Amino acid sequence: TPLNTLSLHDALPICFPVTINNMLKEAIYKKIEELGIKRTTVSNDTGIPLCDLSSYLNGKRSLAVYKIERLIQYLGIKLI
């Protein structure tokens, strides 16, 4: 991985601590709202089932790290 990028697979364990997961979920939720795109579009474009995406954004379930990474990349969210 180049020095200026971070892969979640390289940096974090399989499950995020609750506070990091909540921060990522909030950032994903806000970015979807900011971009004005539907969850259905996000689901179709990322291959993440709509029920999984909605449950994650509503705080009812967690998502695998690779799915969160896929959402972050799709939405253009930068981790600092």
Side-chain angles (χ1 to χ4, degrees):
T1 307
L3 293 176
N4 61 349
T5 62
L6 173 66
S7 167
L8 294 178
H9 293 290
D10 296 338
L12 299 171
I14 297 301
C15 296
F16 292 125
V18 173
T19 53
I20 293 174
N21 189 44
N22 287 341
M23 290 183 337
L24 290 171
K25 178 176 62 177
E26 186 175 321
I28 292 166
Y29 183 91
K30 285 181 178 180
K31 191 67 171 184
I32 290 171
E33 294 292 313
E34 176 186 311
L35 294 171
I37 54 180
K38 296 181 180 184
R39 290 181 182 184
T40 306
T41 302
V42 175
S43 172
N44 290 336
D45 290 350
T46 61
I48 298 169
L50 181 58
C51 60
D52 291 354
L53 177 63
S54 291
S55 292
Y56 173 69
L57 294 174
N58 292 329
K60 296 182 180 181
R61 66 168 292 157
S62 60
L63 279 181
V65 172
Y66 76 93
K67 290 181 181 180
I68 294 172
E69 185 176 37
R70 194 179 303 161
L71 287 169
I72 289 170
Q73 290 174 348
Y74 171 78
L75 296 168
I77 297 171
K78 296 183 182 181
L79 299 178
I80 299 175

